[in-house]
Amino acid sequence: MALFKQVKKPVIKAAAPAGADISPLRPAYVSKPAPCGAGCPSGVSIRAWLTTIAQAEAYGRTKEEAYRIAWGIITERNPFPAVCGRVCPHPCEDGCNRREKDGAVAINALERFVGDFGLAQGLELKRLADERRSEEIAVIGAGPAGLSCAYQLARRGYAVTIFEAFSQPGGMLRYGIPKYRLPREVLDGEIARILKLGVTLKCNTAVGRDIPVEELRRNYKAVFVGIGAHRGLKLRVPGEDAANVFTGTEFLNRVNSGESVQVGRKVVVIGGGDTAIDSARVSRRLGAEVTILYRRSRSEMPAIAPEIEGALEEGVNIEYLAAPVEIIQKDGAVAGVRAIRMDLGAPDASGRPRPVPRAGSEFEIAADSVIAAISQEPETAGLEFGQNGGRWVPAEDGRVPGMDGVFTGGDAVELGLVTIAISQGRFAAEAIDAWIQGKPLEKLAAVKPIGPDRVKLDWYQPAARHERAHVAAAERATDTEIELGLSEDDALAETKRCMSCGMCLDCETCWMYCTNNCFVKLPKGEHYKVKLELCNGCKKCAEACPCGYIEMN
Ligand SMILES: Cc1cc2nc3c(=O)[nH]c(=O)nc-3n(C[C@H](O)[C@H](O)[C@H](O)COP(=O)(O)OP(=O)(O)OC[C@H]3O[C@@H](n4cnc5c(N)ncnc54)[C@H](O)[C@@H]3O)c2cc1C
């Protein structure tokens, strides 16, 4: 499929005679941030890797060469493309200007395609420096934040040791997210590449329990705290002390650790986030009938939308506008949940409508287990960070205030996403590097991306978005991955839907529309040179440029 309509250059008229200026304005090529990259918390230059693949042929590259370059661009900032290509809720796609035409580019599916290519080919992460530095850095927690920080430090030559409380690395990627969403060989493969850079990993070592933080501060030049948030919050309703009442994080941790958890025939899950949906779908896979109680309505549910769909497809029942008031016990075990209907009131501090109990609307649901998946917080026992005014690790520009040489990021600071943890781990690594070297820390200013008003949507060929296939609900009883990848043909065609917003795509439109022959083609990649002395300011080039790259100044 051609990316755009090829048109022949019309017969060129003579250059405008001197003095025939239409306007004093002259064209300039101005690269602008694309909305995909601006929307990516990891800060990956998405347009760059998409167009590298889309334009491979024009640049005389094989597909494989283009995939390799694309993988290199992504892993500059995100060492987990195959993981994120599966679990990221892809805020990058929300702003994609193509959404206004025929659907956002399927960036997340393409990231998985490139990530899987990297794993299959055994591509290795690049170091930024060959020399090894003398400073040693300690990282607490081998979740995406800690691993991203370790990666960015190791590639800068630092000696990094990660201390991890659990028996394996990965944090919530391994102990929270179920295998049917993220196969463990994918996670293991992407972690192994980071360790291969020379990062030391010490598992089964909880800092604060097995080794004091002070010892790390004494023995290491800097410490990164990436402990995540693993303590599930309690419901605070009567009867919660019954056997078979779990928190969501505890339940998923036990199942993901390979424990055989007996939930019985009927499970009630409380909550509306990813932990609640994952707990419900895992309980289905353990053979239970599952009801989720969520106190607001579907539109306020914070869980990733396709995950909610997946749960419904698998037969999970969701009771919206309902909350528990008591866990009913029989002989010390869960027998059911007494719940109450809610109405939505005025917005609360979160901006969402406040759920208000409806008097006299109580009802009961039979249950053998209850999973309270309402939220989680960091486990700071034995660590002093929690003493700084709360349970969360305080952070200011990636540093823990008042603790020289201590940096932090990820869920320990605020619950977020994998991509946010990766980004904060990288930012902290840059802050550590700057602090050690006495350099100023470069902070990226927020950028306003180019919007659909500056892109000529009609100029691009219509092309429907390529969607990933899914294993049918009836065949999903196991840990087998549900979401399938794009075929190579679909992936290639999908990259060609990228409109290269704000950056030249060598479409020749400016060159073709210019009747004064101002545009001189340069070798591929260098785009065009503008002979301003021939320009009469007619603006046709800027008006015709499909991707909004040309400005009249
Ligand atoms: C069930 C569930 C599903 C999710 N689904 C998604 C999703 O689909 N997409 C998405 O983007 N995000 C999702 N998230 C959120 C995402 O997993 C987190 O934002 C991300 O993992 C945070 O990374 P982190 O490194 O800060 O913390 P974590 O991933 O929690 O890692 C922290 C690590 O620190 C270790 N640790 C803790 N205390 C100590 C200590 N004292 N000493 C040594 N080690 C310690 C822990 O064992 C853990 O390995 C989900 C979260 C949950 C709970």
Side-chain angles (χ1 to χ4, degrees):
M1 185 197 73
L3 175 61
F4 43 79
K5 302 159 194 161
Q6 293 282 359
V7 192
K8 273 184 140 183
K9 184 169 168 91
V11 178
I12 310 285
K13 289 188 215 149
D21 276 7
I22 293 169
S23 88
L25 299 175
R26 294 293 177 264
Y29 286 136
V30 183
S31 159
K32 299 165 190 74
C36 48
C40 170
S42 295
V44 170
S45 183
I46 295 170
R47 177 182 63 202
W49 67 262
L50 283 179
T51 53
T52 296
I53 302 176
Q55 299 171 15
E57 211 179 320
Y59 279 77
R61 294 185 182 122
T62 64
K63 290 178 292 187
E64 289 72 21
E65 279 166 345
Y67 301 155
R68 215 165 275 136
I69 297 170
W71 185 87
I73 296 172
I74 300 174
T75 53
E76 266 297 303
R77 291 189 159 209
N78 174 7
F80 291 106
V83 167
C84 288
R86 287 170 167 83
V87 304
C88 186
H90 44 77
C92 54
E93 292 182 21
D94 293 348
C96 175
N97 288 324
R98 184 117 203 176
R99 185 178 281 275
E100 307 286 319
K101 185 179 170 76
D102 47 17
V105 176
I107 301 167
N108 189 243
L110 289 168
E111 185 180 25
R112 168 176 167 166
F113 177 82
V114 174
D116 285 355
F117 173 84
L119 283 174
Q121 297 289 311
L123 299 187
E124 295 190 2
L125 297 167
K126 277 205 191 74
R127 290 184 168 280
L128 294 177
D130 285 335
E131 327 69 81
R132 300 288 186 270
R133 298 188 60 93
S134 58
E135 298 91 351
E136 295 184 25
I137 318 290
V139 168
I140 311 177
L147 287 163
S148 164
C149 182
Y151 162 54
Q152 295 293 350
L153 288 167
R155 68 201 300 244
R156 287 168 170 78
Y158 292 97
V160 184
T161 302
I162 306 180
F163 297 86
E164 168 54 50
F166 293 149
S167 60
Q168 290 189 74
M172 282 301 184
L173 298 176
R174 185 183 303 278
Y175 293 98
I177 296 178
K179 292 178 187 162
Y180 61 82
R181 292 215 279 135
L182 178 57
R184 297 311 188 242
E185 59 274 18
V186 171
L187 177 61
D188 290 341
E190 296 208 315
I191 293 176
R193 275 193 316 235
I194 296 174
L195 300 181
K196 208 168 170 199
L197 290 174
V199 171
T200 304
L201 173 66
K202 293 190 177 177
C203 285
N204 297 312
T205 311
V207 176
R209 183 191 69 194
D210 302 320
I211 178 169
V213 182
E214 277 318 310
E215 194 176 317
L216 299 189
R217 292 188 72 191
R218 260 196 318 277
N219 296 342
Y220 293 85
K221 183 75 186 172
V223 177
F224 174 77
V225 184
I227 57 173
H230 287 245
R231 183 175 30 213
L233 297 191
K234 298 272 187 200
L235 293 169
R236 296 170 190 268
V237 297
E240 199 175 5
D241 57 343
N244 268 25
V245 177
F246 308 93
T247 64
T249 45
E250 173 199 4
F251 169 71
L252 291 170
N253 185 312
R254 287 171 63 176
V255 174
N256 282 325
S257 300
E259 215 183 289
S260 154
V261 183
Q262 306 298 324
V263 288
R265 280 191 316 109
K266 288 178 191 281
V267 173
V268 172
V269 176
I270 321 286
D274 291 325
T275 310
I277 298 292
D278 284 343
S279 299
R281 297 179 76 183
V282 168
S283 299
R284 283 294 288 148
R285 282 161 176 73
L286 296 176
E289 279 172 35
V290 183
T291 298
I292 295 179
L293 297 185
Y294 177 54
R295 60 191 183 145
R296 293 188 173 90
S297 67
R298 167 80 189 257
S299 49
E300 287 88 29
M301 227 173 174
I304 299 168
E307 296 303 318
I308 304 172
E309 285 303 325
L312 293 170
E313 279 169 15
E314 290 165 13
V316 171
N317 170 42
I318 306 183
E319 290 278 351
Y320 297 102
L321 294 165
V325 289
E326 183 188 350
I327 308 297
I328 305 165
Q329 293 192 10
K330 191 168 177 222
D331 304 329
V334 171
V337 175
R338 181 164 297 118
I340 188 163
R341 302 278 172 206
M342 311 297 265
D343 292 313
L344 292 180
D348 63 13
S350 72
R352 295 177 296 172
R354 182 189 300 278
V356 183
R358 193 187 307 156
S361 67
E362 291 191 8
F363 63 102
E364 287 182 8
I365 310 176
D368 301 307
S369 293
V370 171
I371 302 174
I374 50 172
S375 195
Q376 57 263 11
E377 62 186 17
E379 185 75 74
T380 47
L383 305 168
E384 68 241 62
F385 317 113
Q387 293 168 10
N388 285 355
R391 297 177 300 269
W392 303 86
V393 179
E396 249 176 53
D397 283 344
R399 309 177 74 131
V400 178
M403 297 185 89
D404 208 28
V406 182
F407 297 75
T408 188
D411 276 10
V413 175
E414 186 179 4
L415 291 181
L417 297 171
V418 175
T419 173
I420 294 174
I422 291 169
S423 141
Q424 294 183 351
R426 174 177 57 81
F427 183 75
E430 289 168 359
I432 291 170
D433 184 44
W435 174 70
I436 289 176
Q437 300 206 48
K439 297 183 301 193
L441 175 61
E442 213 182 296
K443 278 200 259 173
L444 293 181
V447 288
K448 188 173 180 304
I450 180 167
D453 52 319
R454 294 293 312 273
V455 179
K456 304 225 157 3
L457 296 173
D458 289 344
W459 182 86
Y460 297 86
Q461 295 277 22
R465 174 180 156 108
H466 297 83
E467 299 291 356
R468 285 181 263 212
H470 292 81
V471 172
E475 291 159 31
R476 287 187 203 160
T478 64
D479 285 339
T480 312
E481 188 170 21
I482 292 176
E483 209 160 53
L484 309 173
L486 291 178
S487 68
E488 184 172 27
D489 284 350
D490 282 359
L492 283 169
E494 188 61 23
T495 59
K496 291 189 166 62
R497 295 181 69 242
C498 172
M499 303 190 298
S500 189
C501 306
M503 184 53 174
C504 183
L505 69 164
D506 289 316
C507 67
E508 304 185 342
T509 305
C510 52
W511 167 81
M512 199 177 57
Y513 271 74
C514 181
T515 46
N516 287 350
N517 283 337
C518 300
F519 291 89
V520 180
K521 282 190 191 182
L522 296 176
K524 270 278 175 221
E526 294 172 44
H527 313 304
Y528 298 88
K529 189 173 107 182
V530 194
K531 287 187 178 169
L532 291 180
E533 66 277 15
L534 297 182
C535 176
N536 64 356
C538 77
K539 301 188 213 162
K540 276 186 222 148
C541 54
E543 284 165 3
C545 174
C547 61
Y549 185 50
I550 301 181
E551 285 192 356
M552 298 302 290
N553 289 319

